[in-house]
């Protein structure tokens, strides 16, 4: 376990080598953006609720242009709702369920059924509150620490990273089997293969974006372990975690 945790921490360290108006700009390609005078911006194509309730589960955004651009961070579901994307520093990583087991996959030719992304060239480390934090408390801490570091608009889309240890977490990887029928609310829970993590060192990629939060609150987080990428549903984050905000 120590070797796996050391490898994960080293991988995160390599990645640490966005935002303006609340009104997005939509290009002719269907890509939305919140342009930023700070040198980074959050862009997206599609939103989580559209994917689940409007059956927009096909290939919407290719990962290859982001992988080739450098300094890109992105998350969303794999096209077909068949996995969880978490691109770190243009490394196209995905968590997928293979033979019933969580598996880490790298594929620059994959697509997202929806995707939110940002190009960030530098990150600022900020200590999280030194206590056990729940999901809502992490959301509040991201807002408070972003504001304290000059990102004062709580509605501004924001990429962030975290590194730390989780005491426990309920997580899932979407693994939808298409039956040819429209997506419904009843299917949403079925398409998730659920797992539980305990005392696990993780790297977290998140976006604050009300358009892409599928949990209560405004943040969407994917956790990277040595074995896979997971969507975080509920979590107890141990004291000592570090938040990384995009440099202004």
């Amino acid at each position: 376990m120590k070797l796996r945790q050391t490898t994960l921490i080293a991988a995160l360290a390599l990645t640490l080598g966005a935002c303006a108006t609340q009104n997005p700009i939509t290009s002719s390609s269907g890509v939305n953006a919140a342009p930023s005078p700070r040198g980074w911006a959050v862009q997206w194509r599609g939103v989580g609720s559209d994917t689940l309730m409007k059956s927009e589960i096909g290939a919407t955004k290719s990962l290859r242009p982001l992988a080739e651009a450098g300094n890109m961070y992105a998350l969303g579901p794999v096209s077909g709702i068949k996995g969880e994307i978490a691109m770190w520093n243009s490394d196209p990583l995905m968590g997928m369920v293979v033979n019933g087991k969580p598996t880490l996959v790298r594929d620059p030719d994959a697509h997202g059924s929806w995707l939110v992304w940002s190009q960030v060239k530098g990150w600022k480390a900020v200590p999280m509150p030194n206590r056990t934090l729940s999901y809502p408390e992490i959301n509040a801490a991201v807002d408070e620490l972003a504001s304290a570091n000059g990102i004062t608009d709580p509605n501004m889309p924001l990429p962030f990273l975290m590194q730390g240890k989780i005491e426990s977490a309920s997580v899932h990887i979407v693994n939808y089997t298409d039956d040819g029928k429209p997506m419904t609310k009843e299917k949403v829970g079925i398409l998730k293969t659920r797992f539980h993590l305990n005392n696990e060192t993780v790297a977290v990629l998140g976006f604050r974006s009300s358009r892409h939060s599928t949990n209560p609150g405004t943040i969407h987080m994917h956790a990277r372990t040595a074995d896979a990428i997971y969507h975080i549903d509920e979590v107890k984050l141990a004291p000592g975690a570090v938040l990384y905000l995009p440099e202004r």
Side-chain angles (χ1 to χ4, degrees):
M1 177 61 72
K2 288 184 178 179
L3 176 59
R4 291 168 58 196
Q5 292 180 351
T6 300
T7 301
L8 177 63
I9 293 170
L12 176 62
L14 290 174
T15 71
L16 301 174
C19 322
T21 60
Q22 296 179 33
N23 298 320
I25 295 173
T26 304
S27 71
S28 59
S29 64
V31 173
N32 299 273
S36 174
R38 306 175 190 272
W40 51 272
V42 172
Q43 300 182 74
W44 63 92
R45 187 161 188 172
V47 296
S49 58
D50 284 345
T51 297
L52 293 180
M53 303 318 305
K54 296 181 183 177
S55 299
E56 295 178 2
I57 65 175
T60 298
K61 176 66 179 178
S62 171
L63 298 187
R64 180 163 288 280
L66 305 183
E68 293 175 349
N71 304 122
M72 285 290 187
Y73 298 81
L75 61 74
V78 178
S79 60
I81 318 296
K82 296 290 289 185
E84 307 286 347
I85 296 169
M87 176 177 283
W88 257 274
N89 199 19
S90 289
D91 191 5
L93 299 175
M94 291 162 286
M96 305 186 79
V97 179
V98 179
N99 296 325
K101 296 181 179 180
T103 304
L104 189 65
V105 177
R106 179 178 283 107
D107 184 4
D109 293 317
H111 291 70
S113 57
W114 63 259
L115 203 69
V116 56
W117 67 93
S118 185
Q119 187 174 43
V120 182
K121 296 182 179 180
W123 297 90
K124 179 180 180 180
V126 182
M128 292 286 279
N130 195 28
R131 63 179 186 275
T132 299
L133 299 173
S134 66
Y135 200 111
E137 290 170 329
I138 292 171
N139 200 146
V142 169
D143 287 342
E144 292 169 6
L145 292 171
S147 181
N149 284 273
I151 306 171
T152 57
D153 183 352
N155 297 312
M156 180 180 291
L158 173 71
F160 63 90
L161 306 175
M162 283 195 304
Q163 180 181 351
K165 187 174 184 178
I166 56 172
E167 296 175 358
S168 64
S170 297
V171 298
H172 74 257
I173 299 174
V174 289
N175 187 33
Y176 178 55
T177 299
D178 192 353
D179 59 5
K181 298 179 181 179
M183 183 65 69
T184 64
K185 289 183 178 180
E186 289 70 25
K187 289 184 180 180
V188 172
I190 299 174
L191 61 83
K192 300 173 182 177
T193 302
R194 300 184 183 276
F195 303 93
H196 201 81
L197 304 178
N198 289 291
N199 299 316
E200 187 97 34
T201 297
V202 298
V204 173
L205 169 62
F207 279 82
R208 181 182 68 186
S209 170
S210 60
R211 299 174 181 87
H212 301 95
S213 175
T214 54
N215 289 46
T218 59
I219 61 174
H220 189 132
M221 298 188 294
H222 286 185
R224 176 182 175 183
T225 70
D227 299 321
I229 303 291
Y230 302 92
H231 174 100
I232 301 176
D233 295 311
E234 298 179 1
V235 64
K236 294 294 183 182
L237 182 67
V242 178
L243 175 69
Y244 295 88
L245 296 170
E247 289 184 342
R248 299 175 59 208

